[in-house]
Amino acid sequence: MTFRNSDVAQVIALAQQGGLSGIEWGSDRHVPVGDLEHAAQVNAQMAAAGLLTSAYGSYFVVGRDSLSEWQACLATAQALGAPLIRVWAGNQPSEAFTTEQLADFFTQLAEMLTMAEPFGIAIGLEFHARTLTDNNAAIDLILDRLDHPLLQIYWQPPHDCTIAYRNAGLEALLARNKLANVHVFYWVREEDEIVRKPLRDGQGEWRTYLETLLQAARSTWVSLEFVLGDDHAQFLKDARVLRHLIHQASTDTDIAVGVD
């Protein structure tokens, strides 16, 4: 998703140049849903490059899209060699969900998880504003209500929150063993606008999150996203910063670095 205007070969080359281990491929540009032949070709290109596919970043919206479309997402992810599919937890803020809408959401999500079982592919709900996963308490609600081994939650720092609040959400997911992948970027609010910044400017904050990950001693992917200016040179700088932050910690935890 970071380099939508670059083709598959260019993204693979960038990941290699940045010393990364994998790529999360998006369904909106690089690996369209239902094009199994192309997905298999990307899978082969990844293998030839010595890279792993960390996830299939779909834009499937739980509660809005059909189960037939979900079946196509599963087949595409399988052809791509993705162990996880990112989906969206509705398309409205958590506080706007009615009791009926919540019931429909969980009914469909349970059906999706059942359909995913034969594939062995996990579902990762995107942690994002204006969805049912827009705050820590809402995520707790989901995980309290639906316990399934293939259900996971993505994590990224939510906007306009303290570092302590953000880190508490990450710690809660780790405690439940429900963390999917982590999306790494550094944005700050400047007046009425949220602005992308180089990752080096957020080293102190990200050191906190990475230390939390490392202390939990669980394997995960951390993937660079929202690079300043979608610039290739900036991406390579951010990759160096992220690798440096990870290597600063002394641990046996396996954190793989990728690009989303």
Side-chain angles (χ1 to χ4, degrees):
M1 280 72 81
T2 297
F3 295 118
R4 285 183 171 92
N5 295 323
S6 299
D7 63 27
V8 167
Q10 288 174 316
V11 176
I12 288 175
L14 272 172
Q16 289 179 304
Q17 189 177 354
L20 306 188
S21 303
I23 299 171
E24 177 175 335
W25 291 106
S27 68
D28 63 333
R29 170 67 174 85
H30 293 115
V31 185
V33 175
D35 192 341
L36 304 188
E37 182 178 356
H38 176 65
Q41 290 171 351
V42 174
N43 190 9
Q45 288 176 266
M46 291 285 282
L51 297 172
L52 297 173
T53 294
S54 59
Y56 184 41
S58 85
Y59 287 86
F60 186 96
V61 177
V62 182
R64 184 196 72 182
D65 298 329
S66 69
L67 290 178
S68 61
E69 185 173 348
W70 175 241
Q71 186 68 40
C73 284
L74 285 167
T76 309
Q78 183 182 50
L80 181 62
L84 170 74
I85 301 176
R86 181 197 66 172
V87 303
W88 294 75
N91 54 1
Q92 62 182 357
S94 58
E95 62 185 15
F97 276 76
T98 65
T99 301
E100 183 179 1
Q101 287 172 327
L102 279 174
D104 290 343
F105 175 90
F106 283 109
T107 295
Q108 185 180 42
L109 183 56
E111 291 173 342
M112 291 167 60
L113 286 160
T114 298
M115 291 170 65
E117 289 173 357
F119 293 87
I121 295 175
I123 295 176
L125 295 176
E126 177 80 348
F127 182 25
H128 205 277
R130 298 178 298 281
T131 71
L132 187 56
T133 53
D134 59 9
N135 64 75
N136 294 348
I139 289 174
D140 284 339
L141 179 150
I142 292 172
L143 296 177
D144 286 343
R145 186 157 172 176
L146 184 56
D147 183 17
H148 192 286
L150 291 179
L151 179 61
Q152 299 177 4
I153 309 289
Y154 273 78
W155 188 85
Q156 61 191 29
H159 303 314
D160 298 323
C161 298
T162 65
I163 294 175
Y165 178 87
R166 293 167 174 171
N167 200 52
L170 178 58
E171 289 176 331
L173 288 175
L174 289 165
R176 288 177 177 263
N177 198 24
K178 285 297 183 179
L179 178 67
N181 299 344
V182 173
H183 287 162
V184 179
F185 55 85
Y186 187 60
W187 289 9
V188 299
R189 179 170 291 282
E190 294 181 354
E191 298 180 352
D192 297 327
E193 185 178 12
I194 295 178
V195 179
R196 299 187 192 189
K197 294 290 185 179
L199 186 59
R200 68 170 183 270
D201 292 359
Q203 287 185 77
E205 182 173 334
W206 271 101
R207 187 174 289 110
T208 297
Y209 307 143
L210 291 170
E211 286 175 353
T212 296
L213 287 171
L214 293 165
Q215 288 167 6
R218 291 196 176 93
S219 300
T220 191
W221 282 92
V222 291
S223 297
L224 291 163
E225 189 179 32
F226 297 127
V227 173
L228 177 63
D230 294 327
D231 180 73
H232 291 183
Q234 183 62 56
F235 163 73
L236 295 175
K237 293 176 183 177
D238 287 354
R240 285 195 295 271
V241 169
L242 182 56
R243 293 200 317 271
H244 173 70
L245 288 172
I246 292 171
H247 292 158
Q248 277 185 324
S250 176
T251 177
D252 293 329
T253 301
D254 181 15
I255 294 184
V257 184
V259 59
D260 166 28

